[in-house]
PDB file of all heavy atoms in Angstrom:
ATOM      1  N   ARG A1214     113.867  85.340 118.021  1.00  0.00           N
ATOM      2  CA  ARG A1214     113.458  86.392 117.081  1.00  0.00           C
ATOM      3  C   ARG A1214     112.265  85.948 116.131  1.00  0.00           C
ATOM      4  O   ARG A1214     112.253  84.854 115.620  1.00  0.00           O
ATOM      5  CB  ARG A1214     114.617  86.783 116.337  1.00  0.00           C
ATOM      6  CG  ARG A1214     114.423  87.998 115.468  1.00  0.00           C
ATOM      7  CD  ARG A1214     115.807  88.496 114.887  1.00  0.00           C
ATOM      8  NE  ARG A1214     116.748  88.866 115.820  1.00  0.00           N
ATOM      9  CZ  ARG A1214     117.912  89.256 115.519  1.00  0.00           C
ATOM     10  NH1 ARG A1214     118.280  89.218 114.343  1.00  0.00           N
ATOM     11  NH2 ARG A1214     118.802  89.479 116.479  1.00  0.00           N
ATOM     12  N   LEU A1215     111.371  86.950 115.902  1.00  0.00           N
ATOM     13  CA  LEU A1215     110.332  86.626 114.930  1.00  0.00           C
ATOM     14  C   LEU A1215     110.490  87.665 113.815  1.00  0.00           C
ATOM     15  O   LEU A1215     111.066  88.744 113.961  1.00  0.00           O
ATOM     16  CB  LEU A1215     108.897  86.846 115.613  1.00  0.00           C
ATOM     17  CG  LEU A1215     108.581  85.922 116.772  1.00  0.00           C
ATOM     18  CD1 LEU A1215     107.224  86.456 117.383  1.00  0.00           C
ATOM     19  CD2 LEU A1215     108.364  84.484 116.237  1.00  0.00           C
ATOM     20  N   ALA A1216     109.855  87.300 112.667  1.00  0.00           N
ATOM     21  CA  ALA A1216     109.910  88.226 111.471  1.00  0.00           C
ATOM     22  C   ALA A1216     108.594  88.266 110.857  1.00  0.00           C
ATOM     23  O   ALA A1216     108.046  87.188 110.609  1.00  0.00           O
ATOM     24  CB  ALA A1216     111.042  87.794 110.534  1.00  0.00           C
ATOM     25  N   SER A1217     108.032  89.424 110.551  1.00  0.00           N
ATOM     26  CA  SER A1217     106.846  89.487 109.890  1.00  0.00           C
ATOM     27  C   SER A1217     106.946  90.034 108.518  1.00  0.00           C
ATOM     28  O   SER A1217     107.446  91.093 108.135  1.00  0.00           O
ATOM     29  CB  SER A1217     105.849  90.584 110.702  1.00  0.00           C
ATOM     30  OG  SER A1217     104.636  90.771 110.120  1.00  0.00           O
ATOM     31  N   PRO A1218     106.530  89.253 107.423  1.00  0.00           N
ATOM     32  CA  PRO A1218     106.644  89.800 106.012  1.00  0.00           C
ATOM     33  C   PRO A1218     105.966  91.050 105.770  1.00  0.00           C
ATOM     34  O   PRO A1218     106.458  91.921 104.949  1.00  0.00           O
ATOM     35  CB  PRO A1218     106.014  88.518 105.236  1.00  0.00           C
ATOM     36  CG  PRO A1218     106.142  87.405 106.083  1.00  0.00           C
ATOM     37  CD  PRO A1218     105.989  87.983 107.441  1.00  0.00           C
ATOM     38  N   ALA A1219     104.843  91.359 106.468  1.00  0.00           N
ATOM     39  CA  ALA A1219     104.154  92.587 106.160  1.00  0.00           C
ATOM     40  C   ALA A1219     104.968  93.838 106.705  1.00  0.00           C
ATOM     41  O   ALA A1219     104.899  94.882 105.992  1.00  0.00           O
ATOM     42  CB  ALA A1219     102.733  92.630 107.011  1.00  0.00           C
ATOM     43  N   VAL A1220     105.864  93.684 107.527  1.00  0.00           N
ATOM     44  CA  VAL A1220     106.679  94.828 107.919  1.00  0.00           C
ATOM     45  C   VAL A1220     107.569  95.408 106.798  1.00  0.00           C
ATOM     46  O   VAL A1220     107.650  96.480 106.574  1.00  0.00           O
ATOM     47  CB  VAL A1220     107.610  94.419 109.193  1.00  0.00           C
ATOM     48  CG1 VAL A1220     108.635  95.559 109.523  1.00  0.00           C
ATOM     49  CG2 VAL A1220     106.808  94.097 110.425  1.00  0.00           C
ATOM     50  N   ALA A1221     108.138  94.377 106.098  1.00  0.00           N
ATOM     51  CA  ALA A1221     108.997  94.851 104.935  1.00  0.00           C
ATOM     52  C   ALA A1221     108.245  95.546 103.923  1.00  0.00           C
ATOM     53  O   ALA A1221     108.801  96.417 103.135  1.00  0.00           O
ATOM     54  CB  ALA A1221     109.743  93.596 104.342  1.00  0.00           C
ATOM     55  N   ARG A1222     106.956  95.239 103.732  1.00  0.00           N
ATOM     56  CA  ARG A1222     106.029  95.787 102.773  1.00  0.00           C
ATOM     57  C   ARG A1222     105.598  97.278 103.189  1.00  0.00           C
ATOM     58  O   ARG A1222     105.368  98.124 102.336  1.00  0.00           O
ATOM     59  CB  ARG A1222     104.909  94.934 102.402  1.00  0.00           C
ATOM     60  CG  ARG A1222     105.305  93.592 101.837  1.00  0.00           C
ATOM     61  CD  ARG A1222     104.050  92.890 101.234  1.00  0.00           C
ATOM     62  NE  ARG A1222     103.066  92.604 102.183  1.00  0.00           N
ATOM     63  CZ  ARG A1222     103.053  91.413 102.876  1.00  0.00           C
ATOM     64  NH1 ARG A1222     104.091  90.486 102.594  1.00  0.00           N
ATOM     65  NH2 ARG A1222     102.116  91.244 103.737  1.00  0.00           N
ATOM     66  N   ASN A1223     105.272  97.414 104.467  1.00  0.00           N
ATOM     67  CA  ASN A1223     104.732  98.714 104.824  1.00  0.00           C
ATOM     68  C   ASN A1223     105.498  99.643 105.660  1.00  0.00           C
ATOM     69  O   ASN A1223     105.156 100.863 105.933  1.00  0.00           O
ATOM     70  CB  ASN A1223     103.371  98.351 105.633  1.00  0.00           C
ATOM     71  CG  ASN A1223     103.575  97.671 106.968  1.00  0.00           C
ATOM     72  OD1 ASN A1223     104.616  97.777 107.661  1.00  0.00           O
ATOM     73  ND2 ASN A1223     102.594  96.855 107.294  1.00  0.00           N
ATOM     74  N   ARG A1224     106.678  99.201 106.099  1.00  0.00           N
ATOM     75  CA  ARG A1224     107.439 100.071 107.112  1.00  0.00           C
ATOM     76  C   ARG A1224     107.845 101.497 106.524  1.00  0.00           C
ATOM     77  O   ARG A1224     107.789 102.428 107.170  1.00  0.00           O
ATOM     78  CB  ARG A1224     108.663  99.315 107.693  1.00  0.00           C
ATOM     79  CG  ARG A1224     109.678  98.974 106.589  1.00  0.00           C
ATOM     80  CD  ARG A1224     110.652  98.026 107.226  1.00  0.00           C
ATOM     81  NE  ARG A1224     111.827  97.875 106.299  1.00  0.00           N
ATOM     82  CZ  ARG A1224     112.974  97.149 106.543  1.00  0.00           C
ATOM     83  NH1 ARG A1224     113.053  96.573 107.734  1.00  0.00           N
ATOM     84  NH2 ARG A1224     113.839  96.984 105.641  1.00  0.00           N
ATOM     85  N   ASP A1225     108.228 101.508 105.193  1.00  0.00           N
ATOM     86  CA  ASP A1225     108.697 102.738 104.720  1.00  0.00           C
ATOM     87  C   ASP A1225     107.567 103.730 104.465  1.00  0.00           C
ATOM     88  O   ASP A1225     107.776 104.916 104.747  1.00  0.00           O
ATOM     89  CB  ASP A1225     109.525 102.449 103.467  1.00  0.00           C
ATOM     90  CG  ASP A1225     110.911 101.813 103.698  1.00  0.00           C
ATOM     91  OD1 ASP A1225     111.469 102.212 104.724  1.00  0.00           O
ATOM     92  OD2 ASP A1225     111.307 100.904 102.934  1.00  0.00           O
ATOM     93  N   VAL A1226     106.346 103.141 103.962  1.00  0.00           N
ATOM     94  CA  VAL A1226     105.389 104.068 103.652  1.00  0.00           C
ATOM     95  C   VAL A1226     104.778 104.562 105.047  1.00  0.00           C
ATOM     96  O   VAL A1226     104.291 105.840 105.162  1.00  0.00           O
ATOM     97  CB  VAL A1226     104.242 103.466 102.826  1.00  0.00           C
ATOM     98  CG1 VAL A1226     104.885 103.323 101.460  1.00  0.00           C
ATOM     99  CG2 VAL A1226     103.734 102.215 103.481  1.00  0.00           C
TER     100      VAL A1226
END
Side-chain angles (χ1 to χ4, degrees):
R1214 191 173 299 178
L1215 300 170
S1217 173
V1220 173
R1222 296 193 296 270
N1223 66 31
R1224 64 184 185 180
D1225 288 323
V1226 292

